Amino acid sequence: MNRKLILAILYAILLITPVLSWKFVENPLLISNLKETFLLSSIVILAALYLLSPSQSLKQISIPLKYPLICLVSASVISILRSKSPVASIRGFYYVLLLAVFYGIVSVSIKNKPERTRLVVSTIIISSFISVYFLMQYFNIDPLGLREVYPSATFTNQNFLAGFLIIVLPLSIAFAFMSHQKLHRIIFLLSIALIFISILFTKTRGAWVSMALGTAFFFYIARHDIKIRKKGMVLALLLFAVFTITIVRLNEGERSSLAERFKSIFNLEESSNKHRILMWRSSLDMIKDSPWIGIGIGTFEMNYPAYQGPYLRLKGYSNYTGSTIHAHNEYIETAAEMGILGIGSLIWFIIAIFKYGFRLLGNRGKEERLLIVALLSGIATTLFYGLFSFPFHMPTTSMLFWFFIGILGSMAPQLSQDSTSQPPQYLPLWTIRIGIVIITIFILVWTIRPFLANIYFYKGYQYGKMGKREEGINSFQKSIRINPYDYKSHYNLAIIYEDRNMPIPAIDEYEKVLELYPVHVETHLRLGNLYTIVGDLENAMKEYKKAEEIFPNAK
């Protein structure tokens, strides 16, 4: 019974996580928060069901890639020792740990080829439907009314959507070659077209480059199984080129056309390219400060402004005064947050994935070989995208990344186990199960609380914009009671107090912000203003000086 529930939850994760959205949300980042909360909660339930299965024992679990994975998880724990925000780092570790658990459960729960095929095809189906909806939005047809400014289907923005679609594309290509029935092949070819056009129209340049590299990887590794004649390959490439050029030409009249976006890839002076270079240079300075264990997993955002500050005095960077949540390069961010130990573990894990995957290719039939190559290509595409963005921190992309690795793990030769030998039990079975249920409930509550706090935060933010200050105060206070470690609620509550000429409560809240986020420049500036109002000129000058150190010419 538990095994059927595990499979049902796996389908729910694959099919529901990508389509979860929020129609009435002010900030689209709440959509990502919703997807992440659902994903992590589902993994917790999966783990509990697995542990409650009477036939399972932790001593019987044999998972491929476990040693580099243990090293990676351990590096995230060790990085907490240097963290300025242990709570944020524990959250970051928790995220990595649960995704590793997800990989393990997938690898030991999928028992046969039909199960693998159905699960993998479900990701192609849901990606195709999302692509259709995105293209409808792109051409101003939005039956669900989810579009805000730019079309992004059910995702936070176009970058998140592109990061999800590029990992699925190699699977669609593989199944088009694997299909024996003409109708099935046509369906998968249609899926390829929908996903490809959608990736183009997201105008996400990092996704374009990653898609090209991942697709090239697929065709190179699978060249012996596909057996396309040279004439056929030339014809296919010509048709593909004509198809792509036609789409690009049709898009020429739009603002930020596809052609312009493509040309900007090579322009290092282009605004977003230059901003990425600034983020990478600042991140390298973080690495220099704590090279071995990093600044603490999950703390990039709250450390970044202090390292960005010196570069804002340089010509060409003075306009980039905004903060950022991620480094837009997963490898640099991993090295910054987790040090040499973390990036070394990640590289070991990546090498182990491909060594293991290539070993699986031996003594397999054509269809299984193509599936393995497609999974490796999807993983490679995500790794390429990690050079330009943060796919490991995008819930749906990271979910598929670890799911693909888990599917590969499920294809390992099954070791025969002695069903008669049972590990010794030091407690009655019913007490163990009750303990698992209690711990699961506790972890689920801990997982969901930040999302509930965010709901109240965004309500308070909306009330503030509408001038309903009393309602805003109540919402922010509720958010703080649920999650006192989110600096945003403290900050916005302080702004309302400040607007209502309540300097003392405002100062108290701003001080709490700086306890959680010491380099939040706006808080330093506002505190300086409030200290000036109450006559504490010494502290006012200290706050202004700190703001100037973080952001030169801060006002």
Side-chain angles (χ1 to χ4, degrees):
M1 184 63 179
N2 278 11
R3 178 169 152 67
K4 290 182 179 179
L5 282 173
I6 287 172
L7 285 174
I9 294 173
L10 284 176
Y11 278 110
I13 290 173
L14 295 173
L15 296 175
I16 296 177
T17 307
V19 300
L20 278 176
S21 191
W22 196 303
K23 186 174 181 179
F24 304 105
V25 63
E26 169 70 21
N27 190 324
L29 285 176
L30 188 58
I31 296 172
S32 182
N33 188 220
L34 171 62
K35 292 177 186 290
E36 180 180 310
T37 303
F38 175 79
L39 172 63
L40 298 183
S41 301
S42 300
I43 296 172
V44 171
I45 295 170
L46 269 179
L49 286 172
Y50 186 83
L51 293 174
L52 289 170
S53 298
S55 61
Q56 302 299 341
S57 165
L58 291 176
K59 291 189 176 181
Q60 294 174 324
I61 298 176
S62 178
I63 302 174
L65 311 172
K66 59 185 175 184
Y67 294 116
L69 187 56
I70 290 171
C71 191
L72 181 62
V73 173
S74 300
S76 69
V77 176
I78 294 171
S79 73
I80 299 174
L81 298 175
R82 181 68 192 271
S83 175
K84 294 179 181 177
S85 177
V87 174
S89 290
I90 290 170
R91 284 273 171 195
F93 156 71
Y94 177 66
Y95 184 74
V96 172
L97 177 64
L98 281 194
L99 287 172
V101 168
F102 180 57
Y103 152 73
I105 291 173
V106 172
S107 65
V108 298
S109 298
I110 310 305
K111 302 294 186 182
N112 52 58
K113 180 180 174 182
E115 287 181 354
R116 278 194 291 270
T117 302
R118 285 192 291 267
L119 284 165
V120 168
V121 169
S122 69
T123 66
I124 299 174
I125 293 171
I126 200 66
S127 302
S128 302
F129 278 114
I130 288 172
S131 296
V132 170
Y133 182 50
F134 167 72
L135 293 172
M136 290 172 66
Q137 281 186 330
Y138 193 87
F139 293 103
N140 298 314
I141 303 170
D142 190 1
L144 300 180
L146 295 179
R147 176 173 177 172
E148 292 293 327
V149 180
Y150 299 106
S152 56
T154 55
F155 285 75
T156 300
N157 58 40
Q158 292 168 316
N159 296 336
F160 281 65
L161 172 62
F164 171 70
L165 294 178
I166 57 174
I167 191 173
V168 181
L169 184 60
L171 281 178
S172 294
I173 297 172
F175 274 88
F177 284 107
M178 289 162 56
S179 299
H180 300 294
Q181 296 183 26
K182 188 175 181 179
L183 178 61
H184 290 174
R185 182 165 293 185
I186 291 171
I187 291 172
F188 285 118
L189 287 172
L190 178 61
S191 170
I192 294 169
L194 288 170
I195 293 172
F196 174 73
I197 295 171
S198 296
I199 293 169
L200 279 184
F201 282 170
T202 62
K203 299 181 181 178
T204 305
R205 297 165 300 175
W208 292 350
V209 174
S210 305
M211 175 179 66
L213 293 173
T215 305
F217 178 90
F218 172 84
F219 280 107
Y220 178 76
I221 302 299
R223 64 191 184 282
H224 298 301
D225 292 306
I226 294 175
K227 294 181 181 177
I228 300 176
R229 296 177 181 176
K230 287 185 178 180
K231 288 183 180 179
M233 178 65 80
V234 171
L235 179 61
L237 289 173
L238 284 173
L239 289 172
F240 175 74
V242 170
F243 178 66
T244 305
I245 292 169
T246 302
I247 293 173
V248 171
R249 290 298 297 272
L250 289 172
N251 188 252
E252 277 185 351
E254 295 194 11
R255 182 174 63 87
S256 184
S257 68
L258 294 173
E260 289 175 356
R261 291 290 289 171
F262 180 78
K263 291 175 185 176
S264 69
I265 293 175
F266 309 99
N267 180 11
L268 296 182
E269 294 300 313
E270 190 266 342
S271 177
S272 60
N273 289 342
K274 200 164 186 177
H275 194 191
R276 274 177 169 77
I277 293 170
L278 171 61
M279 288 188 282
W280 297 343
R281 292 181 69 178
S282 303
S283 301
L284 291 174
D285 289 340
M286 291 186 199
I287 297 170
K288 291 176 185 176
D289 266 9
S290 184
W292 292 105
I293 63 173
I295 58 173
I297 186 172
T299 63
F300 181 87
E301 178 187 10
M302 55 194 62
N303 280 279
Y304 176 76
Y307 291 90
Q308 177 186 238
Y311 291 100
L312 299 181
R313 294 182 172 88
L314 301 178
K315 184 179 179 181
Y317 288 132
S318 58
N319 294 328
Y320 297 96
T321 55
S323 187
T324 184
I325 299 175
H326 298 291
H328 286 74
N329 183 301
E330 288 288 8
Y331 312 101
I332 292 176
E333 184 169 340
T334 300
E337 289 190 340
M338 297 165 58
I340 293 172
L341 182 59
I343 190 62
S345 301
L346 178 61
I347 292 170
W348 180 21
F349 184 53
I350 292 169
I351 292 171
I353 290 169
F354 286 94
K355 284 183 67 176
Y356 168 74
F358 288 136
R359 280 203 310 270
L360 284 178
L361 290 173
N363 299 319
R364 300 270 178 171
K366 174 185 171 181
E367 291 187 3
E368 279 199 319
R369 286 175 59 87
L370 281 176
L371 176 58
I372 292 167
V373 173
L375 292 168
L376 288 173
S377 300
I379 292 166
T381 302
T382 304
L383 295 173
F384 291 135
Y385 195 42
L387 293 168
F388 316 104
S389 191
F390 44 92
F392 297 163
H393 296 85
M394 299 175 180
T396 47
T397 305
S398 58
M399 175 265 291
L400 282 185
F401 178 81
W402 288 92
F403 172 73
F404 281 15
I405 302 171
I407 291 293
L408 287 174
S410 74
M411 301 176 79
Q414 296 295 318
L415 299 176
S416 60
Q417 295 176 346
D418 183 5
S419 59
T420 61
S421 64
Q422 295 292 332
Q425 291 185 356
Y426 302 102
L427 292 172
L429 186 59
W430 65 270
T431 59
I432 295 174
R433 290 183 173 176
I434 290 175
I436 291 172
V437 170
I438 292 172
I439 292 170
T440 300
I441 293 171
F442 173 80
I443 295 174
L444 281 173
V445 170
W446 192 76
T447 302
I448 295 169
R449 283 176 72 89
F451 174 69
L452 297 177
N454 268 339
I455 292 175
Y456 283 110
F457 166 76
Y458 286 115
K459 280 186 177 180
Y461 185 78
Q462 282 282 53
Y463 284 136
K465 289 181 66 176
M466 295 163 61
K468 298 181 178 180
R469 294 174 178 171
E470 196 62 41
E471 291 89 341
I473 288 174
N474 291 335
S475 292
F476 288 131
Q477 287 176 340
K478 286 179 181 177
S479 176
I480 290 168
R481 281 197 295 271
I482 297 171
N483 181 19
Y485 304 106
D486 184 4
Y487 76 90
K488 298 189 298 297
S489 292
H490 290 288
Y491 178 71
N492 282 273
L493 178 59
I495 289 175
I496 294 181
Y497 284 145
E498 189 177 353
D499 290 342
R500 296 185 69 178
N501 296 318
M502 301 168 65
I504 302 304
I507 288 173
D508 290 341
E509 292 300 325
Y510 283 135
E511 292 288 0
K512 290 174 183 175
V513 172
L514 293 180
E515 290 175 11
L516 298 166
Y517 193 166
V519 291
H520 194 255
V521 67
E522 291 87 354
T523 297
H524 285 296
L525 289 172
R526 287 179 174 272
L527 259 181
N529 294 338
L530 286 174
Y531 279 132
T532 301
I533 290 172
V534 300
D536 189 346
L537 298 182
E538 182 180 353
N539 276 325
M541 292 305 298
K542 287 181 181 178
E543 297 301 330
Y544 290 138
K545 185 177 180 181
K546 289 175 182 176
E548 175 69 19
E549 289 173 358
I550 300 166
F551 282 167
N553 303 317
K555 296 179 181 179

